[in-house]
Amino acid sequence: MSTIFQRAHLLNPAENLDATGSIRIDGSGFIESVSLGSADMPHNDDDRVIDLDGKLLVPGLFDMHCHFREPGQEYKETLETGSLAAAAGGYTGVALMPNTRPVIDSPLGVAYIRHHSALLPVDLEVIGAMTVESRGETLAPFGKFRSYGVTAISDDGTAIQNTQIMRLAFEYASNFDLLIIQHCEDKTLTKGGVMNESHFSTILGLKGIPDVAEAIIVSRDLQLMRYLQQHKLHDPLNQPRYHVAHISTGAALDLVRQAKLDGLQVTCEVTPHHFTLSDEDLFLAEAKGNFIMKPPLGSAENMQALIDAIADGTIDAIATDHAPHAAHEKDCPPDQAAFGITGLETAVGLTLTELVSKNVITMQRAIEMLSVNPRKIMNLAPVHFRAGEKANMTIIDPEVEWTVTKDDMKSRSQNTPFIGRRLKGRAVGIYHKGALLENH
Ligand code: DOR
């Protein structure tokens, strides 16, 4: 039995495909044929024919920044519930940050996640810790990570504060061609902070996080990269590669923009909450716990700088930073709330509503930022719509209007500030690992 997606809007920026067409997939999940045009594909009686009537069929979305909390904090999320949330959001693959309990700072943790991922509907890539227990003191075994197929390392949730350790991380990572993903936060400035330092934090009486804490770490790291390159101190075969996680300030964006012009191997990602919400939204919200995250929601100026950088191409990818927390960790005074919000199930809707519908970017660029570029940045194989390739795709209805509700969520946690938000555009299914998973 084959599955045929008919009369789809095939949009795959990885191969410059933007046309009406159909895809036929065999019983083992491999693409048999792709045909362009709106004619029906010939089919057998036992084939499953799905008429997409112009809905988008795009390469499976990939989220390069997720927290699934297993092992150790399964009351927030498990590999299984996180995968179901990812599939519901239209993702066929995610990269998991290592700040679990214990931290994934050895191949053992990588093997644990890989073992479990075999039975789940989405691909799970593992990002290894940069330092043991992410304490910023002793480098993790990068070479062993590499031999277990890890392509990126990060101490997400925190950043290496010691510049000498950071220098060694750059050199060591280049030996194994690993991407460094940095959570850019100068902890001496942010200690005890709850929200962006501004007149809103003053009025609320909450300790502020100065936004310059981000650019200080980006600047230090880019200086280190420049130094290592000037003096050829990295592996001669591999230039260091550096990715700024959840970038949130204009100052950090200016540094990334310049570094790209200078030819450094630098990329960055933005989260939907940072390009849609500001500290004023936190100020106005009644229940503030779900507006607390790191980096914090910034000023309106920083939010506009993000939108400008999405439009001019400085920002390469959209990532969710899906950070589930239980109700008791968020339904509490803001200075006691855990940092982070869920994001997998709202990212497509927010991107289409706030960026594509408002002409900040085209649909093609949105798919690049949600699928093609995250894979490229992480050195993963691109997804092609060609005969013989594994079928890995997401179905998006760009027209459907819907309201975000708690009941709809597949994640074990519902700590999102977007409950009640009206959105236009939604992922309505994925086809991956030989199975169609429909969402609504
Ligand atoms: O808000 C956040 N939560 N930011 C991070 O960088 C980490 C994440 C988490 O793990 O909860």
Side-chain angles (χ1 to χ4, degrees), residues 113-158:
I113 293 173
R114 285 215 193 287
H115 173 75
H116 284 79
S117 75
L119 296 174
L120 297 171
V122 303
D123 299 322
L124 303 182
E125 292 297 328
V126 189
I127 296 169
M130 250 194 297
T131 61
V132 173
E133 294 178 357
S134 286
R135 286 169 176 272
E137 292 163 3
T138 309
L139 294 180
F142 293 3
K144 287 217 172 74
F145 276 152
R146 185 73 219 192
S147 64
Y148 273 65
V150 168
T151 64
I153 47 170
S154 179
D155 275 352
D156 185 54
T158 181

Side-chain angles (χ1 to χ4, degrees), residues 111-274:
Y112 173 87
I113 293 173
R114 285 215 193 287
H115 173 75
H116 284 79
S117 75
L119 296 174
L120 297 171
V122 303
D123 299 322
L124 303 182
E125 292 297 328
V126 189
I127 296 169
M130 250 194 297
T131 61
V132 173
E133 294 178 357
S134 286
R135 286 169 176 272
E137 292 163 3
T138 309
L139 294 180
F142 293 3
K144 287 217 172 74
F145 276 152
R146 185 73 219 192
S147 64
Y148 273 65
V150 168
T151 64
I153 47 170
S154 179
D155 275 352
D156 185 54
T158 181
I160 293 179
Q161 302 295 299
N162 180 313
T163 308
Q164 168 64 0
I165 304 281
M166 195 59 217
R167 172 203 168 139
L168 294 174
F170 270 120
E171 291 183 33
Y172 193 21
S174 105
N175 287 144
F176 298 100
D177 197 20
L178 289 169
L179 172 74
I180 288 185
I181 302 179
Q182 188 76 291
H183 165 118
C184 297
E185 176 181 348
D186 181 320
K187 309 258 299 187
T188 60
L189 283 171
T190 64
K191 195 162 184 273
V194 179
M195 65 172 291
N196 184 44
E197 184 169 72
S198 62
H199 62 281
F200 294 121
S201 64
T202 307
I203 299 168
L204 291 171
L206 292 172
K207 186 158 167 40
I209 296 176
D211 63 15
V212 71
E214 181 175 78
I216 285 173
I217 295 295
V218 177
S219 165
R220 176 202 67 176
D221 292 348
L222 294 175
Q223 292 292 351
L224 279 173
M225 281 179 88
R226 286 195 167 89
Y227 178 80
L228 296 175
Q229 266 173 240
Q230 255 165 25
H231 298 277
K232 302 200 168 27
L233 293 169
H234 56 80
D235 187 304
L237 296 177
N238 303 313
Q239 271 195 40
R241 286 182 297 121
Y242 180 75
H243 178 81
V244 181
H246 41 50
I247 200 161
S248 67
T249 60
L253 283 162
D254 287 344
L255 293 166
V256 168
R257 208 174 265 120
Q258 187 58 49
K260 286 184 171 204
L261 286 174
D262 295 345
L264 296 184
Q265 301 282 302
V266 178
T267 50
C268 64
E269 72 192 26
V270 68
T271 72
H273 47 278
H274 287 113

Side-chain angles (χ1 to χ4, degrees), residues 67 69 99 156-157 183 246 293-294 321 323 325 339-340:
H67 303 269
R69 311 301 190 200
N99 62 337
D156 185 54
H183 165 118
H246 41 50
M293 73 282 292
K294 279 195 172 172
D321 194 6
H325 293 291
F339 291 100

